[in-house]
């Protein structure tokens, strides 16, 4: 599953979600010029560079710069899709009121980590009045560059809890350009009541976990505001904002939030950066590969950065690049191909910009455990061909996701990330193909590049499948990258037979964007009452149509029930070494 917020998932599930598309060239967004958005397609075993074509209006000669200087065809570009109008929080350090310059105190003190907050963390703050006759307030400045027009709704909310002496608390929002006309509401958490609300504002108080209340005030500024000053002001038991404090009484506070909306929504914690309610996924990143002009329109073909996998060759026929002096673990040979030969980043951490190192590390642990070994001799093959061969030999998923190469070896069972059911399914198709059936599979091992022969050929067979369908044979006799021993070859043969010895249905499911965050390798619960399906499937491919806002899933069970680690005890008499 892609890394997105819970708000993103919730927004994606809404029937009328406010989705947004972005097309950037360099640092500029040209979404308003797009006349037809592309579809972005990915498959589980495809690491080839992707190309897409986007159609644009050139009425204003916006894209003539490419014709005037063709060298700009290599300018970086990206396609993003996401959602706007999600819960936002323009307040920084929304629950850290002390120890930061973002919150300014006036005649108050604070005790941080005073008690348990509504989320059960020990992060509540006790706001205490000073022992003087004065106002007692805590304020912050929000987004001083923020543009807010008259008539827009803004909601300021926070959680409060009684502390001592029945102190109340005033919530107020003052527009930067109209400090004197602040909108406010007065709350008393000791009784769970709203004491008063200023004219034109709307307020509410509702109970929350652990004796807390969530209070909010919603207002519509009557003039343009360059920012806001949300603030809390302590009140005495007589609803007075100027009073003699005792230095010990106050109210607990937690979870301040300011959002451009007419009610308060899910609390969004912040630290140094505010959350603006827009979250985007990068579906494609690369450069412009070609430009075509026709009258007042322009079409651009984009290619992702993994063209390097197809542009770079390993070795030549006269000077081969050999990895034959010893046996190599799968991940080591893969790493050499990607970094030494294709020029991808060799940073061995999650900051690697080209390789999803987290998934690569997990993939690495599989081969360290299974001890599968390879050798190779390259005589001018492309890097992408080497990766494809390694994928075939190991039945691994190697694909491009969010501008990085990702690696996955499917396990027996994963938890489902989405329910594909009539609520989000637009239409679906089920296909069976007898031609994909394989019940006897041969794998060569120990290839000798000098003699051009394999030291051994292993095969696995499913006798029950042969009885039902007849013998359906296939082989994998790779001479560029090969397995070095019979155990590894038997493992590879067994995997193929186990996943392909029965005719399995493949589903193509068109859905809304509810599953935008669900990706290749994830498991879904597919529900189709007409075809009587209610079972788990694995996502093997996906297409996102940026023009219509539709996502297509390719799902099947070939890699759901059948993932396994090599078990030497499972090598029975049906697996034969020739």
């Amino acid at each position: 599953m892609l890394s997105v917020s819970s708000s993103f998932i919730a927004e994606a599930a809404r029937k009328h979600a406010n989705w947004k598309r972005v097309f950037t060239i360099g640092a500029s967004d040209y979404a308003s010029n797009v006349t037809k958005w592309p579809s972005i397609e990915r498959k589980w075993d495809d690491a080839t560079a992707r190309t897409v074509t986007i159609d644009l209006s050139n009425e204003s000669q916006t894209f003539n710069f490419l014709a005037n200087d063709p060298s700009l065809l290599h300018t970086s570009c990206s396609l993003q899709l996401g959602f706007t109008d999600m819960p936002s929080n323009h307040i920084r350090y929304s629950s850290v009121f002390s120890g930061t310059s973002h919150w300014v105190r006036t005649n108050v003190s604070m005790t941080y980590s005073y008690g348990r907050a509504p989320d059960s963390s020990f992060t509540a703050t006790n706001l205490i009045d000073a022992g003087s006759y004065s106002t007692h307030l805590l304020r912050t400045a929000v987004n001083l560059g923020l543009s807010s027009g008259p008539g827009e709704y803004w909601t300021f909310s926070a959680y409060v809890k009684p502390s001592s002496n029945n102190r109340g608390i005033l919530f107020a929002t003052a527009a930067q350009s109209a400090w004197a006309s602040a909108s406010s509401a007065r709350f008393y958490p000791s009784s769970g009541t709203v004491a008063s609300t200023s004219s034109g504002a709307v307020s509410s108080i509702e109970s929350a976990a652990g004796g807390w209340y969530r209070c909010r005030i919603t207002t519509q500024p009557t003039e343009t505001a360059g920012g806001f000053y949300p603030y809390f002001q302590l009140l005495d038991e007589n609803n007075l904002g100027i009073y003699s404090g005792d230095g010990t009484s106050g109210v607990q506070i937690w979870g301040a939030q300011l959002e451009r909306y007419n009610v308060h929504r899910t609390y969004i914690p912040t630290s140094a950066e505010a959350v603006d309610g827009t979250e985007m996924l990068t579906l494609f990143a690369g450069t412009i590969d070609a430009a075509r002009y026709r009258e007042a329109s322009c079409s651009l073909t984009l290619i992702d950065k993994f063209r390097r996998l197809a542009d770079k060759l390993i070795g030549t026929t006269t000077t081969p690049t050999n990895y034959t002096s010893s046996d190599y673990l799968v991940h080591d040979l893969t790493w050499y191909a990607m970094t030494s030969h294709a020029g991808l980043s060799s940073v061995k951490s999650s900051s690697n910009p080209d390789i999803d190192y987290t998934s690569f590390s997990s993939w690495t642990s599989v081969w360290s455990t299974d001890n599968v070994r390879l050798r190779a001799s390259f005589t001018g093959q492309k890097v992408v061909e080497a990766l494809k061969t390694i994928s075939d030999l190991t039945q691994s998923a190697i694909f491009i996701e969010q501008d990085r190469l990702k690696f996955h070896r499917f396990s027996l069972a994963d938890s489902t990330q989405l329910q594909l059911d009539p609520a989000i399914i637009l239409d679906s198709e089920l296909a069976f193909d007898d031609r994909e059936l394989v019940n006897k599979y041969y794998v060569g091992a120990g290839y000798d590049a000098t003699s051009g022969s394999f030291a051994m050929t292993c095969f696995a067979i499913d006798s029950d499948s042969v009885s039902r369908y007849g013998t359906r044979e296939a082989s994998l006799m790779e001479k560029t990258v090969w397995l070095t021993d019979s155990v590894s070859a038997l493992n590879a043969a067994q995997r193929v037979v186990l996943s392909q010895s029965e005719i399995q249905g493949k589903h193509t499911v068109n859905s809304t964007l509810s599953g935008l965050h669900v990706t290749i390798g994830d498991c879904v619960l597919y529900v189709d009452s007409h075809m009587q399906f209610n079972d788990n499937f694995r996502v093997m491919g996906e297409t996102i149509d940026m023009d219509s806002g539709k996502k297509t899933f390719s799902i099947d069970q070939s890699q759901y029930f059948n993932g396994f680690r090599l078990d030497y005890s499972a090598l029975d008499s049906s697996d034969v070494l020739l």
Side-chain angles (χ1 to χ4, degrees):
M1 187 172 73
L2 300 181
S3 178
V4 295
S5 68
S6 58
S7 298
F8 184 99
I9 295 173
E11 187 68 14
R14 291 202 312 123
K15 281 190 174 181
H16 304 291
N18 294 310
W19 54 291
K20 178 182 180 180
R21 298 165 295 192
V22 173
F23 170 49
T24 59
I25 300 177
S28 301
D29 182 9
Y30 293 96
S32 60
N33 298 88
V34 177
T35 57
K36 184 173 178 56
W37 293 86
S39 293
I40 312 295
E41 181 180 8
R42 298 187 303 121
K43 297 179 181 179
W44 74 286
D45 58 350
D46 186 3
T48 57
R50 295 172 298 168
T51 60
V52 297
T53 299
I54 187 166
D55 296 336
L56 305 156
S57 169
N58 196 34
E59 289 278 358
S60 303
Q61 302 176 328
T62 304
F63 302 100
N64 283 7
F65 69 91
L66 293 169
N68 297 332
D69 185 0
S71 66
L72 294 176
L73 284 177
H74 295 290
T75 304
S76 63
C77 56
S78 68
L79 292 164
Q80 295 178 304
L81 192 150
F83 299 100
T84 61
D85 232 7
M86 296 189 302
S88 60
N89 194 353
H90 292 278
I91 292 177
R92 292 179 289 174
Y93 296 101
S94 58
S95 286
V96 184
F97 304 106
S98 61
T100 171
S101 60
H102 291 285
W103 288 94
V104 179
R105 292 176 281 181
T106 303
N107 301 316
V108 293
S109 62
M110 290 184 285
T111 303
Y112 187 60
S113 299
Y114 181 79
R116 292 203 178 277
D119 67 348
S120 297
S121 64
F122 209 74
T123 55
T125 293
N126 195 24
L127 183 65
I128 306 165
D129 56 24
S132 60
Y133 180 78
S134 58
T135 58
H136 311 270
L137 61 87
L138 176 69
R139 67 176 174 85
T140 187
V142 171
N143 205 351
L144 298 181
L146 186 65
S147 175
S148 174
E152 291 183 326
Y153 287 102
W154 283 88
T155 296
F156 175 38
S157 64
Y159 291 86
V160 300
K161 184 177 181 179
S163 179
S164 58
N165 285 347
N166 295 325
R167 290 292 189 251
I169 189 165
L170 177 145
F171 283 36
T173 53
Q176 192 181 54
S177 57
W179 174 260
S181 58
S183 297
S184 64
R186 297 169 183 243
F187 305 95
Y188 279 85
S190 57
S191 59
T193 58
V194 181
S196 64
T197 306
S198 62
S199 176
V202 176
S203 65
S204 65
I205 184 170
E206 58 187 37
S207 60
W212 287 85
Y213 291 92
R214 193 175 188 194
C215 305
R216 66 100 177 184
I217 176 173
T218 300
T219 185
Q220 291 176 279
T222 56
E223 56 185 276
T224 300
F228 282 93
Y229 290 108
Y231 65 93
F232 303 108
Q233 183 176 347
L234 291 174
L235 308 169
D236 71 3
E237 63 273 16
N238 297 313
N239 201 25
L240 296 176
I242 302 177
Y243 65 92
S244 295
D246 58 18
T248 60
S249 300
V251 173
Q252 295 182 59
I253 58 175
W254 184 83
Q257 183 155 301
L258 179 71
E259 52 187 320
R260 197 190 318 233
Y261 210 67
N262 62 352
V263 294
H264 59 290
R265 295 181 287 182
T266 304
Y267 169 60
I268 306 297
T270 64
S271 53
E273 298 295 331
V275 176
D276 68 0
T278 297
E279 189 172 349
M280 308 296 293
L281 283 176
T282 298
L283 303 182
F284 185 96
T287 57
I288 302 170
D289 193 46
R292 298 171 183 81
Y293 296 86
R294 183 181 178 87
E295 297 177 345
S297 64
C298 173
S299 293
L300 300 181
T301 299
L302 318 177
I303 187 167
D304 68 31
K305 66 183 180 183
F306 293 102
R307 68 182 303 166
R308 282 178 285 177
L309 299 178
D311 287 347
K312 301 291 183 69
L313 304 179
I314 308 178
T316 65
T317 53
T318 55
T319 310
T321 297
N322 293 319
Y323 291 90
T324 55
S325 59
S326 62
D327 296 344
Y328 292 84
L329 285 168
V330 173
H331 53 276
D332 287 336
L333 189 59
T334 304
W335 186 259
Y336 298 148
M338 293 188 299
T339 59
S340 301
H341 297 290
L344 301 188
S345 172
S346 59
V347 173
K348 294 185 176 181
S349 73
S350 58
S351 63
N352 190 309
D354 301 325
I355 300 165
D356 184 324
Y357 195 75
T358 301
S359 70
F360 185 79
S361 295
S362 297
W363 191 68
T364 294
S365 66
V366 173
W367 307 118
S368 296
T369 301
D370 281 3
N371 201 32
V372 175
R373 303 280 176 157
L374 300 174
R375 292 193 180 194
S377 178
F378 299 105
T379 56
Q381 288 77 22
K382 297 178 179 180
V383 174
V384 70
E385 294 172 344
L387 293 181
K388 173 60 177 171
T389 301
I390 293 171
S391 172
D392 290 341
L393 287 169
T394 61
Q395 276 211 318
S396 297
I398 304 177
F399 56 96
I400 298 166
E401 181 178 278
Q402 289 195 297
D403 203 28
R404 293 193 295 176
L405 270 179
K406 190 168 184 178
F407 296 79
H408 197 39
R409 186 88 173 283
F410 300 127
S411 56
L412 266 172
D414 295 317
S415 59
T416 57
Q417 304 293 339
L418 176 72
Q419 180 167 314
L420 282 171
D421 59 27
I424 64 173
I425 293 175
L426 303 174
D427 58 71
S428 61
E429 178 182 291
L430 172 61
F432 293 90
D433 193 339
D434 179 76
R435 293 169 297 179
E436 296 178 352
L437 184 70
V438 176
N439 51 32
K440 188 174 184 180
Y441 195 70
Y442 299 86
V443 177
Y447 180 70
D448 186 324
T450 302
S451 64
S453 62
F454 289 91
M456 64 205 81
T457 300
C458 310
F459 73 85
I461 184 170
D462 185 325
S463 301
D464 291 338
S465 175
V466 171
S467 298
R468 284 191 296 274
Y469 307 110
T471 303
R472 305 293 184 85
E473 295 178 316
S475 65
L476 183 63
M477 311 296 285
E478 285 293 343
K479 300 178 180 180
T480 301
V481 182
W482 60 89
L483 297 163
T484 62
D485 59 86
S486 61
V487 172
S488 298
L490 283 173
N491 179 218
Q494 285 179 317
R495 283 183 176 274
V496 172
V497 169
L498 189 59
S499 63
Q500 294 181 232
S501 59
E502 295 296 332
I503 301 173
Q504 299 201 39
K506 299 197 175 200
H507 301 261
T508 302
V509 183
N510 294 317
S511 76
T512 64
L513 291 175
S514 293
L516 185 58
H517 61 290
V518 176
T519 187
I520 292 173
D522 288 340
C523 293
V524 298
L525 175 63
Y526 178 48
V527 180
D528 185 333
S529 58
H530 181 72
M531 296 298 295
Q532 297 182 312
F533 284 108
N534 190 334
D535 208 348
N536 294 331
F537 291 78
R538 196 180 292 280
V539 178
M540 306 302 289
E542 64 177 12
T543 301
I544 300 172
D545 187 339
M546 294 187 68
D547 210 52
S548 65
K550 179 177 69 175
K551 180 163 183 176
T552 301
F553 292 95
S554 298
I555 61 174
D556 63 49
Q557 292 182 320
S558 65
Q559 299 292 332
Y560 184 76
F561 294 112
N562 299 322
F564 65 97
R565 292 284 183 88
L566 179 61
D567 181 357
Y568 289 55
S569 64
L571 302 180
D572 56 28
S573 58
S574 295
D575 304 299
V576 181
L577 173 63
L578 298 180

